[in-house]
Amino acid sequence: MADKKYKTKQREELENYLRTIPEKHFTVQDICAHFREEGKNIGTTTVYRQLERLMEEGRVNKYILDESSSACFEYIESDGKCHHPSCYHMKCEKCGKLYHLDCHEIEDLTRHLEEHHGFKVDPFRTVFYGVCAECSGEADHCGDDCECHHH
Amino acid sequence: MADKKYKTKQREELENYLRTIPEKHFTVQDICAHFREEGKNIGTTTVYRQLERLMEEGRVNKYILDESSSACFEYIESDGKCHHPSCYHMKCEKCGKLYHLDCHEIEDLTRHLEEHHGFKVDPFRTVFYGVCAECSGEADHCGDDCECHHH
DNA sequence: TTGCGTGCAAAGGTTTTGCATGGCA
DNA sequence: TGCCATGCAAAACCTTTGCACGCAA
């Protein structure tokens, strides 16, 4: 099962870049745009394939927040442990921002759901939708007509 | 703000059909196929637009289970109140079943998220993804190669 | 030299948009 | 008669696949 893996220039540059943005969210397009700005060019296909491999290695997470928009990826520091108490996210329906849910209560709930409901939650896939503090504070300035979440 | 809404044949037929499958999952294609079988024809575009409207009215939920496959919708009984202690759902990624999360712990968490994180969760939109009791019990029969969740 | 990796182009899917036509009020 | 709704076709997107060429080992 020892996969033969070549260490290519693209793979190395991609990983180097990812290391500079740990735990930030990005799309395939973001990556391509970044390298284009630096004069370097990495094909879209390659980025998809490298990210897929990194996912299999558990070094990248993939989130699907909205169809009809690109999937969101996140690089995980490769020291083998998650820096967050939990891997859940909260997504604001007003401004579109995505927050890590750093909270121990959710751990308790996760355990509760498994022990009492027999349901083993996948924190990577699970997103809490709602309204964030920022947006509920300035509700008047950011109503339904606000387009800020279309960035 | 009183939207002018015509009551069209298509809208009525769609709602009539949805009422027969409350809390079941369907895609836009499913709907179109159903009406095609009955000889009636409703355009894909129309279904998308009607479902969008129903979503805004809070009578339909939309789930994104996998990119590169269609979005999933669910009709909610429209009597205006939820029959469950909480309105969260758990969705099994193996068998595709959707469970209501009848649980008081989740109420506590909701309160906690609002009070300590300033995040007001929308329980109707939020779905816990994971593996249900049934499926984790028969893990051997329903492994990664199992296609049952592709219905 | 071997065979994996790359990247262009094209395909495959879902969802959205434009626009002429149809139907509700 | 207004004007919203419909539905076809086309566009817009994201993602995947095919294939020839390049490059690491």
Side-chain angles (χ1 to χ4, degrees):
Chain A
M1 273 296 173
D3 300 316
K4 292 178 189 172
K5 290 178 187 173
Y6 289 0
K7 191 176 183 183
T8 63
K9 192 164 64 79
Q10 287 89 341
R11 179 173 172 90
E12 195 170 6
E13 297 230 7
L14 178 61
E15 288 200 32
N16 283 342
Y17 175 53
L18 291 185
R19 265 190 281 273
T20 68
I21 53 163
E23 290 155 29
K24 290 244 184 324
H25 298 90
F26 56 85
T27 64
V28 169
Q29 296 307 324
D30 292 339
I31 299 290
C32 291
H34 167 79
F35 283 109
R36 221 176 297 120
E37 278 173 17
E38 289 197 341
K40 305 162 189 168
N41 195 13
I42 299 190
T44 312
T45 311
T46 300
V47 175
Y48 274 107
R49 287 194 274 227
Q50 288 294 353
L51 287 179
E52 190 184 358
R53 182 144 86 174
L54 286 166
M55 267 176 51
E56 284 167 7
E57 293 174 4
R59 301 176 54 195
V60 155
N61 290 332
K62 181 182 191 175
Y63 304 110
I64 302 147
L65 307 175
D66 257 323
E67 104 281 28
S68 70
S69 80
S70 338
C72 229
F73 296 86
E74 173 201 33
Y75 183 73
I76 305 159
E77 292 288 6
S78 57
D79 57 7
K81 52 191 161 202
C82 188
H83 295 263
H84 298 275
S86 95
C87 297
Y88 289 91
H89 286 81
M90 303 182 293
K91 163 118 180 168
C92 179
E93 292 175 311
K94 292 257 190 237
C95 67
K97 254 193 225 126
L98 189 73
Y99 300 87
H100 271 286
L101 180 44
D102 291 341
C103 165
H104 288 287
E105 317 263 336
I106 187 69
E107 300 289 322
D108 297 338
L109 182 78
T110 307
R111 222 173 356 258
H112 172 81
L113 289 181
E114 183 165 0
E115 286 170 7
H116 291 79
H117 300 258
F119 194 87
K120 197 175 290 178
V121 183
D122 179 358
F124 293 103
R125 276 249 172 130
T126 301
V127 178
F128 288 88
Y129 289 94
V131 182
C132 72
E134 227 169 282
C135 285
S136 61
E138 47 189 39
D140 293 323
H141 303 103
C142 189
D144 287 335
D145 296 328
C146 177
E147 311 243 2
C148 57
H149 59 294
H150 295 141
H151 67 96
Chain B
M1 274 298 173
D3 300 316
K4 291 176 188 172
K5 289 179 188 173
Y6 289 179
K7 190 176 182 183
T8 63
K9 191 164 66 78
Q10 286 88 342
R11 179 177 173 85
E12 196 169 5
E13 297 230 6
L14 178 60
E15 289 199 32
N16 282 343
Y17 175 52
L18 291 186
R19 265 190 281 273
T20 68
I21 52 164
E23 290 157 30
K24 289 247 184 324
H25 299 90
F26 55 86
T27 64
V28 169
Q29 297 306 326
D30 292 338
I31 299 290
C32 291
H34 167 79
F35 283 109
R36 219 176 301 119
E37 278 173 17
E38 290 200 339
K40 305 162 190 170
N41 195 13
I42 300 191
T44 313
T45 312
T46 300
V47 175
Y48 273 108
R49 286 194 275 230
Q50 289 294 353
L51 287 178
E52 190 184 358
R53 182 144 85 175
L54 286 166
M55 266 176 53
E56 284 167 9
E57 293 174 5
R59 299 176 54 194
V60 155
N61 288 332
K62 181 182 191 175
Y63 305 111
I64 301 142
L65 306 175
D66 255 324
E67 102 280 30
S68 71
S69 81
S70 339
C72 229
F73 296 85
E74 173 203 34
Y75 183 73
I76 306 159
E77 294 286 5
S78 58
D79 58 9
K81 55 189 160 201
C82 190
H83 298 265
H84 302 273
S86 98
C87 298
Y88 289 91
H89 287 82
M90 302 183 295
K91 164 112 183 168
C92 178
E93 292 175 308
K94 291 256 190 237
C95 66
K97 254 193 226 128
L98 189 73
Y99 300 87
H100 273 284
L101 179 45
D102 292 342
C103 164
H104 289 287
E105 317 263 336
I106 186 70
E107 303 287 326
D108 297 338
L109 182 79
T110 307
R111 226 177 349 261
H112 172 81
L113 288 181
E114 183 165 0
E115 287 168 8
H116 292 78
H117 300 258
F119 194 88
K120 197 175 289 177
V121 183
D122 180 356
F124 290 102
R125 291 257 165 98
T126 300
V127 179
F128 288 87
Y129 291 96
V131 182
C132 72
E134 226 170 283
C135 286
S136 62
E138 45 190 39
D140 292 324
H141 304 102
C142 190
D144 287 334
D145 295 327
C146 176
E147 310 244 0
C148 60
H149 59 297
H150 296 143
H151 68 95

